[in-house]
Amino acid sequence: AIERTLSIIKPDAVAKNVIGKIYSRFETNGLKIVASKMAWLSAEEAGKFYAVHKERPFFKDLVSFMISGPVMIQVLEGENAIAKNRDLMGATDPKKAEPGTIRADFAESIDANAVHGSDAAETAANEIAFFFPAMNVYSGR
Ligand code: CMP
């Protein structure tokens, strides 16, 4: 089915100047960018976005990292978009990511891991709504 998923290019990858290379991977693999914006998140926004991880030991480092620089936030649309984006990203820990995935090619560590992508349909809907009002998602057909 055609799905939408939320993707974030994290501060490490924005600083490396690889937004275009990562967008190109989405596009050549059938994922269409239907909303996009650059933002420099506040600690409050990053904490709310990652609220599901609030009790995890890495939460504080995760929030500090996500506010260390601007991020690029986009909605990707396409067949099986949630799983497809996760395949393109590779494992959370770049050391475990398959060669040729975004994290294997652009990420340094489990914290500075280049990209975030929604993990399921319900989280995708919530994460998209967190950053984009429905009127600012432009389904391109
Ligand atoms: P992301 O997909 O953005 O979701 C939560 C983030 O927490 C994850 O990517 C990692 O960058 C970060 N993180 C740090 N340590 C861990 C861990 N042990 N397990 C999962 N995520 C972690």
Side-chain angles (χ1 to χ4, degrees):
I2 300 282
E3 295 173 343
R4 288 175 177 174
T5 189
L6 187 89
S7 158
I8 302 179
I9 301 180
K10 297 189 180 186
D12 58 321
V14 172
K16 273 189 179 168
N17 207 18
V18 293
I19 294 171
K21 285 185 175 163
I22 294 173
Y23 270 27
S24 178
R25 291 184 182 209
F26 297 149
E27 292 181 338
T28 57
N29 288 282
L31 295 177
K32 191 162 200 160
I33 295 154
V34 295
S36 134
K37 66 179 176 190
M38 187 173 272
W40 195 323
L41 301 177
S42 67
E44 191 188 349
E45 288 169 322
K48 270 191 196 158
F49 179 77
Y50 280 121
V52 290
H53 296 306
K54 206 160 50 200
E55 305 306 328
R56 307 285 288 275
F58 56 82
F59 180 73
K60 225 174 144 225
D61 286 346
L62 172 62
V63 170
S64 332
F65 175 68
M66 290 301 289
I67 68 171
S68 66
V71 295
M72 195 73 195
I73 310 165
Q74 44 284 328
V75 177
L76 307 176
E77 184 181 87
E79 188 62 35
N80 207 15
I82 297 166
K84 185 175 280 181
N85 182 43
R86 292 181 70 80
D87 287 347
L88 294 176
M89 291 194 296
T92 307
D93 182 351
K95 290 194 290 288
K96 295 176 184 158
E98 292 291 329
T101 59
I102 293 168
R103 283 167 171 158
D105 291 347
F106 301 117
E108 303 304 328
S109 69
I110 195 165
D111 295 301
N113 68 347
V115 279
H116 166 82
S118 309
D119 63 0
E122 196 191 342
T123 44
N126 291 337
E127 291 181 0
I128 291 167
F130 185 85
F131 284 118
F132 297 100
M135 65 174 293
N136 291 329
V137 181
Y138 304 98
S139 215
R141 271 189 285 267

